[in-house]
Amino acid sequence: MVVSRRISAPAVAAWDVLVSVADWPDWGPSVSGVRGVDGRIEAGSHGEVRVAGVWVPFSIETCDDEAHRWTWRVAGVPATGHQVEPVGPDRCAVSFEIPVLAGPYAAVCAVALRRIERLAERRARG
């Protein structure tokens, strides 16, 4: 299952929001903190996210800066995939790939996409 949104920002701005752990609590409705990774994620990064007041381990399975796509495991379970695709010089589509069994999580992802849009547009403006 994929949930996506087209936004008025260059793909590089949206990608930066997705891979910068400092931004995760600003766009992730279920994430209130991140520790164990400074700056940007990369394949093999490990850390913890705070969800509902509990620190849960995560690992970044894939992270491809050229393809603008990353996937992760949370508490050892495959979680959402994240992708940014350019659709013009100043527009892109941001997508979340949701495991079938996590279908209800699509509503949370839709909120996250709106927040990512605001952050990426702000970042593009400088």
Side-chain angles (χ1 to χ4, degrees):
M1 173 185 285
V2 176
V3 177
S4 68
R5 181 178 184 95
R6 287 187 179 219
I7 65 173
S8 296
V12 67
W15 179 245
D16 190 53
V17 168
L18 285 176
V19 298
S20 300
V21 295
D23 289 322
W24 289 7
D26 293 331
W27 61 260
S30 58
V31 175
S32 61
V34 181
R35 64 184 182 194
V37 176
D38 292 322
R40 298 167 60 91
I41 58 165
E42 56 187 38
S45 295
H46 295 275
E48 295 178 303
V49 288
R50 189 174 179 127
V51 179
V54 177
W55 288 101
V56 182
F58 73 84
S59 61
I60 304 301
E61 296 289 296
T62 65
C63 185
D64 185 333
D65 283 322
E66 288 186 33
H68 292 150
R69 183 174 182 277
W70 66 270
T71 61
W72 67 335
R73 288 181 170 269
V74 178
V77 177
T80 49
H82 309 75
Q83 185 165 13
V84 178
E85 297 178 87
V87 293
D90 293 318
R91 290 189 52 79
C92 64
V94 180
S95 303
F96 287 100
E97 303 156 3
I98 306 166
V100 174
L101 296 177
Y105 195 64
V108 174
C109 291
V111 171
L113 288 168
R114 288 192 301 273
R115 292 177 178 182
I116 290 165
E117 179 176 30
R118 284 194 304 271
L119 291 167
E121 288 174 351
R122 194 175 315 142
R123 190 153 292 161
R125 287 191 303 268

